[in-house]
Amino acid sequence: MATRLRHRFLAYGAVEFLSTHVPDDPGPGEERLLLVHARQVVGEVHYRMCARCARGVITDVALDERFRGSGLGTRALSHLRARHPGTAWHSTLTLRATRDLLRRMRIPTTSPGPLCTHAA
């Protein structure tokens, strides 16, 4: 229990978010939100988004085993929403762990395919 509490504390205090998003890039592209702790990547959120359509799709969420169940996934997706306000988020993920996270965050599942007409 103490280890889990420690990881929750780290997830909320010592993990930084770094984005590969290029500002003012109007077209959709593969982007990543890196979750960094002590200069080490402990998780990633892969996504595509189109600023012109205000649509985004999450294609992968990966967390280091020691941070699972710490709330870091929820914090990362909340950060992504705050970074891109007004964006309608969807996901292509169907694995149980990520499906539960996305349901808690109220992010619907969509079929893989073009994000928008700009991606075609």
Side-chain angles (χ1 to χ4, degrees):
M1 182 67 178
T3 302
R4 189 172 186 179
L5 186 61
R6 181 176 179 271
H7 286 154
R8 186 170 290 274
F9 176 74
L10 288 175
Y12 281 86
V15 174
E16 295 178 75
F17 298 107
L18 303 174
S19 180
T20 61
H21 177 70
V22 178
D24 300 324
D25 182 13
E30 294 293 326
E31 302 179 28
R32 292 188 301 172
L33 179 66
L34 301 177
L35 291 65
V36 180
H37 174 256
R39 292 185 286 166
Q40 185 176 34
V41 176
V42 296
E44 297 181 28
V45 177
H46 295 249
Y47 63 99
R48 294 186 319 260
M49 65 172 290
C50 179
R52 291 180 1 197
C53 293
R55 291 182 46 124
V57 63
I58 297 167
T59 58
D60 190 27
V61 177
L63 292 177
D64 197 64
E65 185 68 37
R66 62 190 165 145
F67 284 97
R68 292 196 181 142
S70 69
L72 185 57
T74 301
R75 184 170 173 237
L77 294 182
S78 294
H79 178 83
L80 198 58
R81 279 183 165 161
R83 185 177 200 105
H84 304 286
T87 300
W89 290 99
H90 300 278
S91 174
T92 59
L93 301 176
T94 58
L95 296 175
R96 182 178 178 204
T98 53
R99 188 177 58 225
D100 292 344
L101 170 64
L102 295 166
R103 187 175 333 134
R104 281 193 310 273
M105 296 296 297
R106 295 190 172 134
I107 297 175
T109 303
T110 187
S111 61
L115 173 64
C116 64
T117 57
H118 304 109

